[in-house]
Amino acid sequence: MPRQFTATHLAAAAALALVVGGTAGYLLAPDGTKQKISADGTCPEVGTSDSAAEAFTRLVGSGESVRSTVSEKGAIANSYSYSCSVQVDGKGRILLGVELTQSGSVSDWRADLEKDGDIGSKKDYKSFTLGKSASGVASPFSAAIYLPCKPVGSKLTVTPNLSVEVTKLDRAGNAGTNRSDTAQVARALAAHAQSGAHCEGAERLGPIKWA
């Protein structure tokens, strides 16, 4: 079984992968002083709904300088990955990642997340669903979604899955709001990944329903 990716792995991948989009900027007032600018829109793939865009903005915030690195790979069947990282004033604010992998069951997937420390311990997270097949968990600083996905034309005998992760790197803010916001962003990212990975017979994701 392929190993699950972690926040550290995603950060390295974002630095080494082919960058398909990026932003960096400063906003100067008429007197030449730097003004705060919003980081919204730096990972445009998750801004497909007002709720997701607003959640992303709350998670990332604003600052005098904003930089983002985006990478998406899915040129061949049975392979798909996506990553987006955002820095505000030189510090990491958020990390988004998706990988097409073979995690096994939802229970196996959750066990790997806990082992790698990507979602915290069971006492830290809450479970949710997004319809019939998509399952997720969210902690006060991150959210992850398991979504079955067999790319069109795939010859795999075992149905792979998309493993989606959203991590708030600065761990600041209200725990309940962060949990809700990371779940909203992860849902939007999962919907984008369904299209990017060309999932066969992809189920339209439903609203977040907490267990």
Side-chain angles (χ1 to χ4, degrees):
M1 180 186 302
R3 185 176 156 196
Q4 290 287 327
F5 59 96
T6 65
T8 301
H9 299 147
L10 281 173
L16 297 174
L18 172 65
V19 176
V20 298
T23 61
Y26 298 90
L27 183 65
L28 298 180
D31 61 0
T33 59
K34 292 180 182 178
Q35 301 294 301
K36 286 190 174 182
I37 57 176
S38 173
D40 58 348
T42 48
C43 299
E45 294 78 11
V46 301
T48 53
S49 70
D50 289 343
S51 58
E54 291 168 1
F56 182 84
T57 299
R58 283 192 294 270
L59 290 169
V60 180
S62 61
E64 293 181 351
S65 69
V66 176
R67 296 180 181 274
S68 69
T69 302
V70 183
S71 174
E72 186 168 26
K73 296 181 178 181
I76 59 175
N78 307 330
S79 176
Y80 178 80
S81 64
Y82 171 93
S83 68
C84 181
S85 60
V86 180
Q87 288 189 342
V88 177
D89 295 339
K91 296 181 180 180
R93 285 289 179 88
I94 199 167
L95 184 62
L96 282 61
V98 186
E99 185 178 42
L100 182 69
T101 185
Q102 295 180 41
S103 303
S105 67
V106 174
S107 296
D108 292 336
W109 170 76
R110 287 192 183 189
D112 284 339
L113 289 177
E114 292 175 19
K115 180 180 178 181
D116 292 333
D118 290 348
I119 202 69
S121 62
K122 286 184 178 180
K123 66 181 179 62
D124 294 324
Y125 67 68
K126 293 183 179 180
S127 302
F128 61 89
T129 58
L130 296 167
K132 295 180 179 179
S133 58
S135 298
V137 291
S139 75
F141 58 84
S142 60
I145 292 173
Y146 173 101
L147 183 62
C149 171
K150 185 175 183 179
V152 174
S154 171
K155 298 183 184 300
L156 293 174
T157 56
V158 177
T159 301
N161 64 281
L162 291 169
S163 185
V164 180
E165 290 187 41
V166 173
T167 303
K168 180 175 171 60
L169 298 174
D170 61 1
R171 309 291 173 90
N174 177 270
T177 301
N178 287 345
R179 179 183 284 110
S180 176
D181 285 346
T182 54
Q184 285 286 355
V185 173
R187 180 192 180 280
L189 183 55
H192 171 78
Q194 276 186 319
S195 176
H198 305 291
C199 301
E200 189 174 57
E203 173 192 355
R204 182 178 177 83
L205 298 180
I208 295 171
K209 291 187 177 181
W210 298 98

